[in-house]
Amino acid sequence: FPHHSREIGETRDRTFSGMMRKGAKAGMEDMMEAQNNEMTDKLASKVEILKQISLNIGKEVEEQNKELDQHSDAAGDVMSSLNGTMKGLMDLASSSGTSGLMTRACGMFGFFLVVYFFFSRYTSEP
């Protein structure tokens, strides 16, 4: 009978020890699962932040492309205007010949010279 109680005690110790190991293992698994869930949540929030940043970059690129297109259109309009002016000047020069062009150039120079003297005389301080 004493031998029997000793076997019961050993069996109980082994069962309790096994339960402890299983409980510790389950506790460790639960802790690791919680850590994994926390890391997954952090990763998901970082992915969301990166997604917002990339969307904002996309919007900025679209806005800048629109502005570049507008500037390109304005530059094209200026070039068209300058080309028209140059064509008009070339037509004027070719229609009058060289002497007519020289007369007009001297007339414009004289006009600007008169304007210069007029403004310099009345705007200078005594």
Side-chain angles (χ1 to χ4, degrees):
F1 184 70
H3 183 57
H4 182 61
S5 66
R6 189 168 147 195
E7 286 178 9
I8 291 175
E10 288 175 3
T11 304
R12 184 184 63 208
D13 288 343
R14 277 184 287 179
T15 304
F16 182 71
S17 175
M19 286 176 28
M20 287 294 287
R21 277 185 266 136
K22 288 179 183 176
K25 187 176 180 182
M28 182 67 89
E29 288 176 357
D30 289 343
M31 184 178 71
M32 289 175 68
E33 183 71 26
Q35 286 176 346
N36 282 343
N37 289 340
E38 183 180 338
M39 292 171 121
T40 302
D41 291 342
K42 285 181 182 180
L43 185 61
S45 68
K46 289 179 182 180
V47 167
E48 184 62 32
I49 290 169
L50 287 173
K51 178 182 174 186
Q52 290 302 318
I53 289 172
S54 64
L55 288 174
N56 289 340
I57 289 172
K59 288 177 185 176
E60 184 66 27
V61 166
E62 287 177 8
E63 289 175 10
Q64 289 182 6
N65 282 339
K66 287 178 186 177
E67 286 184 33
L68 286 173
D69 289 342
Q70 291 172 352
H71 289 297
S72 178
D73 292 344
D77 292 344
V78 169
M79 288 301 294
S80 295
S81 177
L82 286 176
N83 285 336
T85 302
M86 287 302 295
K87 184 180 181 296
L89 286 174
M90 295 304 282
D91 288 346
L92 180 65
S94 65
S95 67
S96 303
T98 308
S99 64
L101 179 63
M102 197 61 157
T103 305
R104 286 188 188 97
C106 288
M108 289 179 71
F109 178 74
F111 172 75
F112 285 117
L113 194 62
V114 169
V115 170
Y116 172 75
F117 283 119
F118 178 75
F119 279 110
S120 66
R121 185 167 195 207
Y122 290 106
T123 57
S124 63
E125 295 181 23

